[in-house]
Amino acid sequence: MSNIAVAEKQWFGHPRGLATCFFTEMWERFSYYGMRALLILYMVAPVDKGGLAFSTEKGASIYGWYTMGVYAMSVPGGWVADKLLGLYRSVLLGGIIIAAGHFMMAYPSLPTFYAGLISIVIGTGLLKPNVSGIVGTLYSKEDVRRDAGFSIFYMGINLGAFIAPLICGPLGQRINWHYGFGAAGVGMTLGVIQYVLGKKHIAPGLARHEKDEVDERAAERAEGRSSSFTREEWRRISVIAILFFFSMLFWGAFEQAGSSLNLFADRLTRLSFLQWNFPSTLFQSVQPAFVIIFSPIFAWLWLRMGRHEPSSPTKFGFGLFFVGLSFLLLVPGAALAQSQGIKVSPMWLIGVYLLQTFGELCLSPVGLSMVTKLAPPRIVGLMLGVFFLSISFGNKLGGYCAGFFDRLPLPKLFGAVAGTTLTAAFILFLLVKPIRKLMGGVH
Ligand code: PHE
């Protein structure tokens, strides 16, 4: 262990800086998911209920563009950190812009609504990829705690996503939409303050990162690398391209949680439990809660399977399979609600989110780590950006599907999503062997 590592304070056996990143991302996700829980409901709510009275189609379209933008901006956001501002200042600036965006939305007017959305898109692009980047700098290359560190970080993401709808949801739905958006802004502000106060804890990692960058540049000059790829590298890049497509389909279904499924909760689900009437946005907390509960179980399961642990493309296939199954489950639920005009049991959506969590836990951790392993080292950053784009396009696709919410019978809409993702899963299972060949030794 280096001297720096010895001097570093610890947090659950990890560098103390992990706590700083954990809480920064927790509050950022708190603000993102708190606002997202309300977004489509606010847009389609009638004027006398304080909403914007947009058609569902228009609301879903804005939702799609917005959530697409948030992740697409990660590509320029990563670039800005690399070339202009560095990781620390990119995250700081991002957090400030995000908080400003939420506060704009806390003011009830259409121009501030759109300006707020755009700010959040830009700010998230600066913050989200780069705070993960800072987590990476906390560990030296040989440090075996790195993966565990990222798992803890993922918990922070889901903790934020879990708490947010519990606070912003009732505030927004029960009292005033704009209070909900304001609460999201307050959360992000707390995150920024905490980040600035914690700067000293991430400083050793940032210093290491800067040194690595200088070394890398020096090595590049010395080696005079050629820019063309070998055949082997092309093969691996082609695997990333194949996975890009499947990843997009997965997120296209999965990210409807904030749109179609949010509307399903609001309009067609019974919102009471025993004597208690709860706001529909409460359902937005279910999925992150399941992630927090099940991620240790999945980690244990993979370990337990040892050499029988499924390969990365197989896990990807399972991800699609589970998300497909979740929409298939909703077909009878939707039929029941629409044919009989009743509100259905909350258990339908809870079941849907449980299956989706299984899908997420199969696919999401694998996706990013696979890209880092498959991409030629000199374009890892670019390829990670490309992978974020697949999530971004998926979000757009999800918004597109949600646009049919009022125009198609819901069993048809959900059935189409199920059919597409299940077919994709089936095709991917058939492709596992050839893909593994192309991967050439990477698992
Ligand atoms: N729940 C995850 C998050 O908010 C979804 C996601 C995964 C988003 C990977 C982007 C990239 O972070």
Side-chain angles (χ1 to χ4, degrees), residues 25 28-29 32-33 36 71 74 128 153-154 157-158 161 251 254-255 287-288 291 360 364 368 387-388 391-392 395:
E25 179 64 341
E28 185 271 325
R29 291 286 93 185
Y32 178 74
Y33 284 112
R36 198 188 81 161
Y71 294 123
S74 300
K128 188 152 167 60
F153 182 72
Y154 209 70
I157 290 180
N158 285 287
W251 295 104
F254 183 89
E255 294 281 343
Q287 204 264 338
V291 173
E360 173 177 1
S364 181
L368 286 177
F387 206 71
F388 262 83
I391 299 171
S392 158
N395 273 275

Side-chain angles (χ1 to χ4, degrees), residues 267-286:
R267 297 180 184 172
L268 299 168
T269 304
R270 197 173 62 237
L271 299 174
S272 60
F273 182 70
L274 303 174
Q275 295 292 313
W276 175 48
N277 290 323
F278 55 86
S280 61
T281 43
L282 206 70
F283 280 104
Q284 296 292 309
S285 288
V286 172

Side-chain angles (χ1 to χ4, degrees), residues 64 67-68 245 248-253 256 391-404 420:
T67 52
M68 171 181 158
F245 174 74
M248 184 182 80
L249 290 181
F250 173 84
W251 295 104
Q256 288 181 48
I391 299 171
S392 158
F393 291 173
N395 273 275
K396 180 78 187 73
L397 191 64
Y400 172 77
C401 296
F404 290 99
T420 311

Side-chain angles (χ1 to χ4, degrees), residues 56-235:
T56 306
E57 204 181 332
K58 180 171 172 182
S61 160
I62 294 175
Y63 177 94
W65 282 111
Y66 163 70
T67 52
M68 171 181 158
V70 158
Y71 294 123
M73 270 294 157
S74 300
V75 181
W79 184 87
V80 167
D82 281 349
K83 306 280 175 198
L84 299 177
L85 294 179
L87 290 170
Y88 178 78
R89 279 181 295 169
S90 304
V91 170
L92 177 61
L93 184 66
I96 294 171
I97 297 177
I98 293 171
H102 289 295
F103 288 129
M104 287 179 215
M105 294 184 65
Y107 183 79
S109 84
L110 208 54
T112 47
F113 171 74
Y114 286 117
L117 286 183
I118 292 170
S119 299
I120 297 166
V121 164
I122 296 171
T124 312
L126 282 169
L127 190 148
K128 188 152 167 60
N130 296 322
V131 73
S132 308
I134 297 180
V135 175
T137 69
L138 298 172
Y139 303 92
S140 65
K141 289 216 172 62
E142 312 78 49
D143 198 327
V144 290
R145 297 172 301 172
R146 175 184 288 266
D147 280 359
F150 273 99
S151 304
I152 296 175
F153 182 72
Y154 209 70
M155 287 289 185
I157 290 180
N158 285 287
L159 198 59
F162 167 67
I163 305 166
L166 304 180
I167 295 176
C168 303
L171 272 178
Q173 279 189 298
R174 291 268 159 97
I175 305 178
N176 184 320
W177 299 107
H178 302 281
Y179 289 6
F181 297 141
V186 170
M188 188 68 256
T189 308
L190 292 175
V192 170
I193 295 171
Q194 179 280 145
Y195 177 69
V196 173
L197 293 177
K199 181 180 179 188
K200 58 177 180 297
H201 301 301
I202 52 177
L206 291 170
R208 175 168 34 223
H209 177 65
E210 268 164 36
K211 185 176 168 301
D212 283 352
E213 268 182 341
V214 173
D215 289 353
E216 198 176 290
R217 255 178 242 136
E220 253 169 47
R221 281 198 209 104
E223 282 174 26
R225 281 184 208 161
S226 81
S227 55
S228 56
F229 299 123
T230 63
R231 267 181 88 122
E232 168 120 356
E233 284 175 329
W234 274 120
R235 283 207 198 111

Side-chain angles (χ1 to χ4, degrees), residues 213-347:
E213 268 182 341
V214 173
D215 289 353
E216 198 176 290
R217 255 178 242 136
E220 253 169 47
R221 281 198 209 104
E223 282 174 26
R225 281 184 208 161
S226 81
S227 55
S228 56
F229 299 123
T230 63
R231 267 181 88 122
E232 168 120 356
E233 284 175 329
W234 274 120
R235 283 207 198 111
R236 292 182 176 177
I237 292 173
S238 69
V239 175
I240 297 180
I242 297 170
L243 293 180
F244 181 98
F245 174 74
F246 289 102
S247 162
M248 184 182 80
L249 290 181
F250 173 84
W251 295 104
F254 183 89
E255 294 281 343
Q256 288 181 48
S259 52
S260 344
L261 299 185
N262 205 2
L263 291 170
F264 187 85
D266 199 52
R267 297 180 184 172
L268 299 168
T269 304
R270 197 173 62 237
L271 299 174
S272 60
F273 182 70
L274 303 174
Q275 295 292 313
W276 175 48
N277 290 323
F278 55 86
S280 61
T281 43
L282 206 70
F283 280 104
Q284 296 292 309
S285 288
V286 172
Q287 204 264 338
F290 279 145
V291 173
I292 294 170
I293 297 168
F294 283 99
S295 41
I297 298 175
F298 268 68
W300 172 82
L301 189 74
W302 301 140
L303 266 179
R304 183 68 214 275
M305 290 173 96
R307 59 187 184 83
H308 298 294
E309 178 180 348
S311 68
S312 303
T314 310
K315 284 187 189 168
F316 238 75
F318 275 115
L320 275 159
F321 171 74
F322 278 120
V323 87
L325 214 56
S326 79
F327 274 87
L328 195 62
L329 173 68
L330 206 53
V331 171
L336 199 66
Q338 284 196 321
S339 65
Q340 313 199 354
I342 54 164
K343 299 218 166 184
V344 298
S345 158
M347 289 314 286

